[in-house]
Amino acid sequence: MQVDFQLGRPAQGARIVVAMSGGVDSSVVAALAARSGAEVIGVTLQLYDHGEAIGRTKTCCAGQDIYDAKTVADRLGIAHYVFDYESAFRGSVIERFADEYMRGRTPIPCVSCNQGVKFTDLLGLARDLGADCLATGHYVRRVLGANGPELHRAADPARDQSYFLFATTRAQLDYLRFPLGDLPKPLVRELARDLGLVVADKPDSQDICFVPGGDYAAVVKKVRPEAAEEGEIVDRDGRVLGRHRGLIHFTVGQRRGLEIGGQKEPLYVVRIDAEARRVVVGPKSALAVRTARLSGLNWLGEDQRDGLSAKVRSMARPAPARFEPGSDGGSIHFDTPEYGVAPGQAAVLYEGERVLGGGWIEETAAAELEAA
């Protein structure tokens, strides 16, 4: 299988840097790059290694994964370098993750990682190495449009990672390549087996790399011990219904873990008052959102406003919406009330398969309040 890396010149005289995490996806990208005839350099960033501490090797930043990336590079006959970015990763991703929880928000660390360490620092490394492009194993498509490269969803909807890449800038997109965007995951594994790569059957990571076993609270408590301070659980009128063991255990939309009995209807977390250390609960209807204000807007489209769709969670279906730009970002208006919308999440806007951009949700307007 051959892939056109759109290098703008003959591959035999070009250089491709591949971001290699030690997983099957980036390993196949390295193999496809090597097949193109270009000089290929594999680069692995050492970000956060908890694998040794917990005896687990399936996470993207564990020491075993660095070894796997090197083994694949040796198999392909390409150069491989490891760069220590643990300090930068801690400051821009882990500490930000903890601080967002402290503020009562719902953080999306994978976006922060792509926005910073991976697509800023790693891209800079690739340029320093004289590469014509940086190729990654993300499942997303780079499509050449009338006004330059566009970001599109992956052909395989089950693997699409476009939600996590909304902050990719136009300049970065011009330099990046995503060879797996048109491929289904089973075919990627088949290619890895045909190439004899040791990672062909390596399981995909199911957790955020620095959150062992999905225990977010333990990570936040370690970084910010004060996050475990207790507080009150109150209804929307301020009546105390119970107590909680720390804001780090709750996000907007959550129902489990409240441990409040004797209520007429199920209660959900509808708001977190970080300053007062209060968890505010209410009925499911209180979670319905019609409008969300965004900050940190990154826009890849033209002047589209109507006929769009928005995703507020990576696994959510895009919901019909309208976008209204503003001086400090903009706002999205859902055609019908949307649930599970919380400050701190990313809202990503699409026009069909194309990613137009997105931003960080700062505040929301409840549908029931707008109706009133």
Side-chain angles (χ1 to χ4, degrees):
M1 178 180 177
Q2 292 292 125
V3 171
D4 181 6
F5 281 81
Q6 301 173 340
L7 300 173
R9 60 169 174 156
Q12 285 69 21
R15 177 178 292 171
I16 300 173
V17 165
V18 178
M20 299 183 68
S21 68
V24 62
D25 297 325
S26 59
S27 296
V28 169
V29 169
L32 294 174
R35 278 188 174 184
S36 73
E39 178 189 1
V40 180
I41 299 174
V43 171
T44 301
L45 300 183
Q46 181 174 329
L47 301 176
Y48 185 86
D49 187 358
H50 63 70
E52 181 178 353
I54 64 173
R56 192 163 175 267
T57 62
K58 297 177 183 176
T59 56
C60 70
C61 310
Q64 179 65 40
D65 293 327
I66 294 175
Y67 175 80
D68 288 342
K70 182 182 185 304
T71 301
V72 169
D74 289 344
R75 167 77 177 180
L76 299 175
I78 64 174
H80 178 251
Y81 301 106
V82 179
F83 294 89
D84 184 356
Y85 271 71
E86 186 172 338
S87 177
F89 184 74
R90 180 179 178 85
S92 64
V93 178
I94 299 177
E95 292 183 359
R96 177 178 175 179
F97 176 81
D99 289 341
E100 287 285 270
Y101 261 105
M102 289 285 292
R103 294 173 60 195
R105 293 162 62 90
T106 304
I108 312 292
C110 293
V111 175
S112 301
C113 185
N114 289 326
Q115 189 176 22
V117 176
K118 288 185 179 176
F119 282 2
T120 299
D121 297 329
L122 182 54
L123 192 142
L125 280 174
R127 291 190 185 280
D128 290 342
L129 290 169
D132 292 84
C133 68
L134 170 66
T136 80
H138 290 100
Y139 284 85
V140 69
R141 290 182 295 150
R142 177 183 180 272
V143 176
L144 293 178
N147 297 311
E150 300 174 353
L151 190 64
H152 287 236
R153 296 186 218 195
D156 183 350
R159 302 298 305 178
D160 175 53
Q161 294 175 297
S162 60
Y163 176 84
F164 298 107
L165 300 182
F166 84 86
T168 305
T169 66
R170 291 177 182 269
Q172 291 169 344
L173 189 57
D174 189 57
Y175 192 65
L176 289 163
R177 302 293 185 273
F178 308 107
L180 305 187
D182 289 311
L183 306 180
K185 184 62 177 259
L187 177 56
V188 172
R189 289 200 180 276
E190 183 180 330
L191 289 170
R193 294 188 194 100
D194 291 344
L195 292 163
L197 303 183
V198 297
V199 296
D201 296 307
K202 185 175 182 178
D204 294 326
S205 174
Q206 300 300 315
D207 301 321
I208 297 172
C209 66
F210 61 89
V211 183
D215 191 350
Y216 304 101
V219 172
V220 177
K221 184 177 179 180
K222 183 177 181 181
V223 178
R224 298 285 186 265
E226 63 272 25
E229 293 182 13
E230 296 184 355
E232 297 174 334
I233 300 176
V234 302
D235 64 16
R236 291 182 293 170
D237 294 323
R239 291 184 302 150
V240 178
L241 303 179
R243 294 191 63 81
H244 63 77
R245 297 179 295 108
L247 298 179
I248 53 176
H249 298 286
F250 301 95
T251 57
V252 171
Q254 183 174 326
R255 179 182 173 187
R256 297 180 60 183
L258 290 173
E259 299 178 355
I260 301 174
Q263 304 300 314
K264 295 181 179 180
E265 59 183 324
L267 296 177
Y268 298 79
V269 177
V270 299
R271 184 167 56 87
I272 294 178
D273 185 344
E275 186 174 347
R277 298 197 178 280
R278 279 183 160 188
V279 174
V280 183
V281 298
K284 186 176 181 179
S285 60
L287 292 171
V289 167
R290 180 73 74 171
T291 303
R293 182 175 65 83
L294 309 182
S295 68
L297 189 71
N298 180 63
W299 197 250
L300 296 170
E302 285 72 49
D303 190 31
Q304 301 95 326
R305 298 191 185 190
D306 299 315
L308 311 181
S309 60
K311 287 182 69 169
V312 295
R313 298 179 308 282
S314 62
M315 300 304 293
R317 289 185 178 182
R322 176 173 58 86
F323 174 67
E324 189 66 35
S327 58
D328 58 347
S331 59
I332 52 176
H333 306 270
F334 299 103
D335 288 5
T336 58
E338 185 73 4
Y339 291 82
V341 187
Q345 291 175 324
V348 182
L349 289 152
Y350 296 83
E351 183 179 50
E353 296 298 303
R354 183 185 177 187
V355 178
L356 296 179
W360 300 100
I361 298 173
E362 291 298 327
E363 61 181 354
T364 61
E368 61 180 7
L369 294 180
E370 286 197 345

